[in-house]
Amino acid sequence: GAAVRFSNGYTVPFANIAETPAKERKIVLSARPEELLVNTDLSGEGIRAVIRDSVFLGLNTHYFVEMETGEEAEIIQESRIDSILEPGTNVRLTLNADKANVFDAETQLSLMRGVHNEAEVR
C-alpha cells in the first residue's frame, strides 16, 4: 500500500489512497486540527513539537505548537481536566491517516479513494 513519509522520516501508512504510486512523489497533506494527536511519550515515531500555548474550552483544548520544522499548527484535543499541557512541553505529534487527505503536489488532484476529481476547461 501507499504511505506518506514526512521530512523527518516519520512514515504513515494510508489504506485509502486510490492507487499505489510506482515511485515516490511530492504530495500536499491536509488534516484538520483534531486529526493530529498530541503525545507526551517521546519514544515513538512522529513529528517533534513544543507546546507554545493552549486554550481550555471545556470539551476541547486547543494547543498551539511549533514543530521541529519551524512550522506552527493548532491542534484540537479532547480536554483532560487534570492534564493540560504547559507551554514549553515537548511533544510528539502523530497523524490519524483515516481522516487526512492527500493531494498530488504537481496536479493538485486528490489521491484519495472515492474522490472524483473534476476539472472544468474554459
Side-chain angles (χ1 to χ4, degrees), residues 80-98:
R80 295 183 206 169
I81 206 142
D82 61 339
S83 63
I84 301 296
L85 300 173
E86 297 294 324
T89 302
N90 290 307
V91 295
R92 177 176 52 90
L93 306 177
T94 55
L95 177 69
N96 179 355
D98 292 334

Side-chain angles (χ1 to χ4, degrees), residues 6-98:
F6 291 83
S7 59
N8 71 349
Y10 172 47
T11 303
V12 181
F14 269 76
N16 51 353
I17 297 283
E19 62 183 65
T20 302
K23 60 180 181 158
E24 289 187 9
R25 67 169 119 176
K26 291 198 179 282
I27 57 100
V28 174
L29 178 77
S30 173
R32 296 178 193 266
E34 61 271 17
E35 303 313 335
L36 288 170
L37 308 173
V38 176
N39 301 282
T40 55
D41 175 4
L42 302 177
S43 65
E45 278 195 87
I47 301 165
R48 304 278 184 230
V50 176
I51 302 290
R52 293 294 178 214
D53 201 2
S54 64
V55 178
F56 175 77
L57 296 172
L59 286 177
N60 297 310
T61 299
H62 292 232
Y63 287 107
F64 301 90
V65 302
E66 182 178 334
M67 295 181 273
E68 61 189 323
T69 60
E71 297 169 295
E72 297 179 351
E74 178 181 0
I75 299 167
I76 300 172
Q77 297 281 281
E78 187 175 324
S79 293
R80 295 183 206 169
I81 206 142
D82 61 339
S83 63
I84 301 296
L85 300 173
E86 297 294 324
T89 302
N90 290 307
V91 295
R92 177 176 52 90
L93 306 177
T94 55
L95 177 69
N96 179 355
D98 292 334

